[in-house]
Amino acid sequence: MATKVNGSSGKDLDGGAVTILDLARELRLSKTTVADALAGSGRVSTETRDRVRELAEKWGYVSNRAARSLRTRSTGALGLYVPPTVRTAPFYMEFALGGAERAASAGFDLTLFAQRPARRRDFGVDGAVVIDMSAADELPRQLVAAGVPVVAAGRILGHEGEHAVIETPDREMAHQMFELMRSRGARRIAFVTPLHDFAVAWAVDVSEAYVAWCGQADQEVLMRSISVAATDTELAAAIDEVVRIPGVDALVLAAEGWAARAKPMLTAHGVDVGGSFQLGSLAGDPLTDGADAAISRVDLGARAFGVDAFDLLLDILSGAADRAAVRVHPARLVPASVHPGAARRDD
Amino acid sequence: MATKVNGSSGKDLDGGAVTILDLARELRLSKTTVADALAGSGRVSTETRDRVRELAEKWGYVSNRAARSLRTRSTGALGLYVPPTVRTAPFYMEFALGGAERAASAGFDLTLFAQRPARRRDFGVDGAVVIDMSAADELPRQLVAAGVPVVAAGRILGHEGEHAVIETPDREMAHQMFELMRSRGARRIAFVTPLHDFAVAWAVDVSEAYVAWCGQADQEVLMRSISVAATDTELAAAIDEVVRIPGVDALVLAAEGWAARAKPMLTAHGVDVGGSFQLGSLAGDPLTDGADAAISRVDLGARAFGVDAFDLLLDILSGAADRAAVRVHPARLVPASVHPGAARRDD
DNA sequence: CTGAAAGCGCTTACAG
DNA sequence: CTGAAAGCGCTTACAG
């Protein structure tokens, strides 16, 4: 245990990092006093505090995370789990980054959980957010069992009340979309859902909202279900089917990016998208579906959603919110702009 | 320190998690023996090992991460830093998830570093990957100074040799793109780069490759630079300019997603994209530019790139690779399909 | 094959 | 205002 010297440099030449004990020895103070000076707990005289801080700065002292964590039983990290199937969608990226931002602003790191967590483990986080989890996924349960506070972004079907939840008003937004299209003249609205292999609360909600709206609008249910990770071929097949249904003059696609991908397919069928035919996305962020003004979309505000989810988690950690709190994250409907070209064609 | 009892349940009722000491007391063994049995170091008799493991399983013992980390000076986590400007691009999401996957398969968690790291800190990782860093960013330097092994995905201009590097063959791929277009009849190829505010090695490389190719192909340099986060308005302005240049019959856009967004803009100008006019992307992943077969693209294989980057980092940690190792991650050129529609129009 | 002990670097009662 | 000491839960020489 060589004394840290070599004055000016913060870099230690003997391999070990600078510790509180190193500072204490040099300043002829106790560990306690140095720790207090560093922590800023009022017990220490201003002069001592300044001496300690000066040397700490000079020697490049950084508090050892593991030691602190062992003592305080907190890790300084928050976890995020995104289900494997949808990982690559921009929506989740935005969400994750919003979350990372919020976590960082509170001094926490963000740990991305891997798809298949080891059997039993120390998660190494003070709390976790999970998003769009299927009821079958075991991770939320494991987290709760390990005593980790959990926020589910999108409730987990059949597990309500087991943890906190933050949700977008999915049924309401879907309803608004259908109403918008009808107000713009749509008579028969078809709907494509990822319920096929993505039966999470959001997908169930919007699908049920469609069926409910059909009942209320006295319209036949024209729903197709495809994989949330549908290839162009699969998507095109669904589009083909829809186009063949007589009288369909509007199509709402649930999942992110589907509308933008469907548009050229519709156009290839001679459909006048944005003109006599309306196209909508229920998860249309600015990057994908939003790039095309001919598409009406529900913007779920992915980034802000991530911020809000971690906000809730932080509130739970601070005691400001209940472990089973439920919050709503607002979404907004962005109607397609009725463009001149479309109008002209109607003339 | 209540003895852990209440038999069947792994959940402890007194708040503290099960520790090695709890197991040792129950089994009337020493901490050492229990630890060895758990770790599988050969010193322990099969019988003792089984007894220990059985109880550990039954009581739901999980090794305390902080304590282990404090002793072993390793954290079990790897870090990733993606610059704020480009965070939301699918490319980086894919990269991050490939990385998370590789890290997980080696038993490491993935920590996403926040944009603005605190002044001085314990990064809490055993190694880190940074991607497309500008030379001005301080994080890589801080990591290296803290003794954290670093892999730069895309070298950092002016900091070569300070850490390991993994790169795609950017100049080569750009060159191939221009050659492809010329072989398909292009006479004047314009180029749009994000050098404006994203002067990372990749952007510099492809831009220089364009200029070099122009020299060699005896073509005028027709280059525009816009923000890597260009809005549709900004992108449209650049497209307008390009379209006005006499004789331009091909356009290569460097950044991800630009080509897909540019296509409708070009079409609006009456340009026959995929027919008499060629369009290309130098960062065209399957999700964005790749969705349109009329776009030629360089697929950088983002996910595999992430895997390879963390692979290199793990090799460095295990001593299998040098701290200043340099590797290449392959990319591939995906030519636009010359579609029938285009041919027909030429008739 | 098993145990007693030290120590990783910190925080936190407890004293004075 | 400052100090001596215990202890978080683990790993790792060192003994026997």
Side-chain angles (χ1 to χ4, degrees), chain A residues 30 32-33 43 45 48 70-71 73:
Chain A
S30 74
T32 313
T33 305
R43 306 192 343 163
S45 69
T48 306
L70 178 57
R71 245 342 285 243
R73 303 182 165 289

Side-chain angles (χ1 to χ4, degrees), chain A:
Chain A
M1 218 122 311
T3 314
K4 298 297 180 292
V5 274
N6 51 67
S8 58
S9 164
K11 293 180 112 166
D12 44 297
L13 303 177
D14 56 351
V18 180
T19 72
I20 278 190
L21 194 58
D22 294 324
L23 300 175
R25 271 196 288 246
E26 174 76 8
L27 297 169
R28 305 193 173 280
L29 289 168
S30 74
K31 284 165 33 180
T32 313
T33 305
V34 172
D36 283 339
L38 257 18
S41 26
R43 306 192 343 163
V44 185
S45 69
T46 321
E47 195 208 316
T48 306
R49 206 195 56 205
D50 291 347
R51 281 177 60 219
V52 171
R53 294 198 171 173
E54 195 185 335
L55 186 67
E57 175 69 24
K58 183 171 159 196
W59 279 8
Y61 167 79
V62 292
S63 161
N64 181 302
R65 200 188 187 89
R68 190 157 19 91
S69 175
L70 178 57
R71 245 342 285 243
T72 63
R73 303 182 165 289
S74 73
T75 64
L78 301 178
L80 172 63
Y81 183 77
V82 179
T85 15
V86 292
R87 283 243 166 107
T88 56
F91 173 84
Y92 295 95
M93 181 72 172
E94 294 269 6
F95 183 94
L97 294 172
E101 198 173 78
R102 183 66 192 88
S105 75
F108 287 86
D109 273 333
L110 203 263
T111 294
L112 222 54
F113 290 133
Q115 24 267 69
R116 306 240 155 203
R119 209 74 194 98
R120 238 169 197 165
R121 52 177 296 201
D122 178 350
F123 291 100
V125 297
D126 296 339
V129 171
V130 300
I131 180 162
D132 284 351
M133 301 293 291
S134 93
D137 208 308
E138 294 205 347
L139 191 78
R141 232 161 300 167
Q142 296 175 324
L143 286 163
V144 170
V148 178
V150 170
V151 168
R155 70 187 190 284
I156 306 177
L157 297 168
H159 295 267
E160 292 83 355
E162 298 176 10
H163 42 246
V165 167
I166 185 163
E167 284 195 307
T168 43
D170 302 320
R171 288 166 194 273
E172 169 63 17
M173 298 314 297
H175 184 84
Q176 284 184 23
M177 173 68 81
F178 303 130
E179 287 293 304
L180 167 76
M181 288 182 159
R182 185 160 62 172
S183 77
R184 288 182 167 188
R187 304 243 136 226
R188 302 195 83 193
I189 307 177
F191 183 67
V192 180
T193 165
L195 224 44
H196 185 68
D197 59 357
F198 195 60
V200 304
W202 166 78
V204 170
D205 283 350
V206 294
S207 303
E208 289 184 358
Y210 173 68
V211 174
W213 183 85
C214 285
Q216 162 188 332
D218 199 26
Q219 193 218 279
E220 195 184 343
V221 172
L222 305 169
M223 183 156 78
R224 295 289 176 276
S225 181
I226 61 176
S227 166
V228 71
T231 61
D232 274 355
T233 315
E234 295 171 288
L235 184 58
I239 299 297
D240 278 8
E241 277 190 71
V242 166
V243 167
R244 286 215 182 77
I245 304 171
V248 167
D249 51 7
L251 171 62
V252 173
L253 298 135
E256 182 186 34
W258 281 1
R261 289 164 59 199
K263 193 186 169 194
M265 300 171 182
L266 287 163
T267 307
H269 280 289
V271 170
D272 176 23
V273 176
S276 58
F277 191 98
Q278 295 182 64
L279 182 60
S281 167
L282 292 186
D285 68 297
L287 285 173
T288 54
D289 304 313
D292 190 335
I295 297 171
S296 292
R297 64 193 173 93
V298 172
D299 191 330
L300 298 169
R303 185 174 201 93
F305 194 12
V307 171
D308 286 357
F310 279 82
D311 223 43
L312 174 52
L313 182 57
L314 289 163
D315 279 351
I316 291 169
L317 293 178
S318 75
D322 190 86
R323 279 214 176 197
V326 175
R327 286 190 190 164
V328 172
H329 169 74
R332 70 184 226 280
L333 179 64
V334 184
S337 61
V338 186
H339 65 279
R344 228 169 279 139
R345 280 179 217 166
D346 289 323
D347 293 344

Side-chain angles (χ1 to χ4, degrees), chain B residues 149-170:
Chain B
V150 170
V151 168
R155 71 187 189 285
I156 306 176
L157 297 168
H159 295 267
E160 292 83 355
E162 297 176 11
H163 43 246
V165 167
I166 184 161
E167 283 195 308
T168 42
D170 302 320

Side-chain angles (χ1 to χ4, degrees), chain B residues 51 63 105 111 123-125 132 145 169 173 269 303 313 326 332:
Chain B
R51 280 177 61 219
S63 162
S105 76
T111 295
F123 291 100
V125 297
D132 286 349
M173 297 314 297
H269 280 289
R303 184 173 201 93
L313 182 57
V326 175
R332 69 183 226 281

Side-chain angles (χ1 to χ4, degrees), chain B residues 43-120:
Chain B
R43 305 191 345 163
V44 186
S45 68
T46 321
E47 196 208 315
T48 307
R49 205 195 57 206
D50 291 347
R51 280 177 61 219
V52 172
R53 294 198 170 173
E54 197 185 335
L55 187 68
E57 175 68 24
K58 184 173 159 197
W59 280 7
Y61 167 79
V62 291
S63 162
N64 181 302
R65 203 188 187 90
R68 191 159 17 93
S69 175
L70 179 57
R71 249 337 290 241
T72 63
R73 302 181 165 290
S74 73
T75 64
L78 301 178
L80 173 63
Y81 183 76
V82 179
T85 16
V86 292
R87 282 245 167 107
T88 57
F91 173 84
Y92 295 95
M93 181 70 173
E94 293 269 5
F95 183 94
L97 294 172
E101 198 172 78
R102 182 67 191 88
S105 76
F108 288 86
D109 272 333
L110 203 264
T111 295
L112 222 54
F113 290 132
Q115 25 267 68
R116 306 240 155 202
R119 209 74 195 97
R120 239 170 195 165

